[in-house]
Amino acid sequence: ETGVTQTPRHLVMGMTNKKSLKCEQHLGHNAMYWYKQSAKKPLELMFVYNFKEQTENNSVPSRFSPECPNSSHLFLHLHTLQPEDSALYLCASSQGKDRRNTIYFGEGSWLTVV
Amino acid sequence: AQKITQTQPGMFVQEKEAVTLDCTYDTSDPSYGLFWYKQPSSGEMIFLIYQGSYDQQNATEGRYSLNFQKARKSANLVISASQLGDSAMYFCAMREGRTGGFKTIFGAGTRLFVKA
């Protein structure tokens, strides 16, 4: 069992749909992250939450809406996405922002927007 | 400016041989951490090894070792005795201690193919 679990693993949605990605970490960490990985692009940090408070939003379009109800759970709400939003979305967690704090990732959610 | 550079888009290695994956980085922060991750085709990013900027010795974890050359700003990953299951994408990453906040910067990755 991995320390960070993501559901669903695969999602196909239309451009007018509303869906959510869910992430749960079992590592007792304080910080949680959403990353986007597109083909032929480096990993892009989208959002960071520390103790449920958002600390980073890297100019992500408002059609992506994160929610962090507690330090163990993180959601990414998806609304009116575009085909170019198709990507692997990775959730991660870490103990904090110290340079020694390793980020641990989930298995990812493969999103296809049609 | 690109902070993590992985110059090898793809690498081939014979099973049971060693392979080195290159990584160079750029930072003015004296306090930083360097990480390597493995990403199989399933998608999960698996943490392999960590090296701190103040660490005197190269990090090792089983078959993985990190060849840390601070003056050259390089942090190459060495995989010994390659196995077929090592075929995957490998990412080098860096977190700056004083200026980076929560940001971990990733390189573009190197795809490793292990041949039987």
Side-chain angles (χ1 to χ4, degrees):
Chain A
E1 183 184 335
T2 62
V4 181
T5 56
Q6 290 187 239
T7 55
R9 292 295 320 280
H10 299 271
L11 177 63
V12 179
M13 60 185 289
M15 290 189 283
T16 58
N17 291 159
K18 288 184 182 181
K19 297 285 185 183
S20 297
L21 306 180
K22 178 183 175 182
C23 176
E24 182 175 1
Q25 60 97 358
H26 313 275
L27 300 169
H29 289 163
N30 304 319
M32 295 190 77
Y33 310 73
W34 280 116
Y35 280 86
K36 176 184 178 182
Q37 187 177 28
S38 306
K40 301 182 180 179
K41 279 188 175 182
L43 232 62
E44 300 173 66
L45 178 63
M46 300 175 72
F47 302 103
V48 181
Y49 280 82
N50 188 38
F51 289 105
K52 305 189 300 179
E53 301 298 320
Q54 189 178 117
T55 60
E56 298 274 351
N57 177 342
N58 278 349
S59 303
V60 180
S62 60
R63 58 185 183 270
F64 294 92
S65 174
E67 178 189 0
C68 188
N70 54 60
S71 293
S72 299
H73 293 86
L74 185 65
F75 296 88
L76 188 63
H77 303 299
L78 314 170
H79 176 50
T80 59
L81 295 191
Q82 304 298 310
E84 59 264 29
D85 296 321
S86 298
L88 176 66
Y89 289 85
L90 289 159
C91 176
S93 71
S94 72
Q95 186 57 43
K97 65 178 180 181
D98 189 276
R99 61 178 176 88
R100 294 163 292 186
N101 292 148
T102 301
I103 290 183
Y104 292 93
F105 288 85
E107 294 176 306
S109 293
W110 293 92
L111 173 66
T112 303
V113 181
V114 296
Chain B
Q2 196 168 6
K3 292 201 168 188
I4 296 284
T5 303
Q6 295 180 254
T7 57
Q8 307 152 313
M11 287 280 288
F12 286 87
V13 65
Q14 196 67 40
E15 192 179 11
K16 299 181 185 177
E17 292 185 351
V19 63
T20 298
L21 306 183
D22 295 341
C23 173
T24 57
Y25 59 91
D26 184 29
T27 181
S28 56
D29 192 329
S31 173
Y32 53 89
L34 296 160
F35 305 82
W36 276 92
Y37 289 86
K38 171 185 178 181
Q39 187 178 41
S41 56
S42 59
E44 183 183 7
M45 293 279 278
I46 302 167
F47 166 68
L48 297 177
I49 195 166
Y50 165 81
Q51 179 85 43
S53 59
Y54 298 119
D55 294 345
Q56 295 296 313
Q57 293 188 316
N58 288 341
T60 60
E61 288 287 349
R63 293 187 299 111
Y64 304 108
S65 60
L66 204 151
N67 184 358
F68 181 45
Q69 309 225 352
K70 193 170 181 177
R72 294 184 179 182
K73 293 189 175 178
S74 76
N76 298 338
L77 177 70
V78 180
I79 305 175
S80 63
S82 298
Q83 301 172 356
L84 295 178
D86 294 334
S87 294
M89 281 290 287
Y90 289 81
F91 292 93
C92 179
M94 176 177 67
R95 173 174 275 192
E96 293 166 313
R98 296 184 186 177
T99 57
F102 285 93
K103 292 182 181 176
T104 299
I105 306 159
F106 288 80
T110 295
R111 184 168 294 280
L112 178 66
F113 299 91
V114 180
K115 299 182 291 183

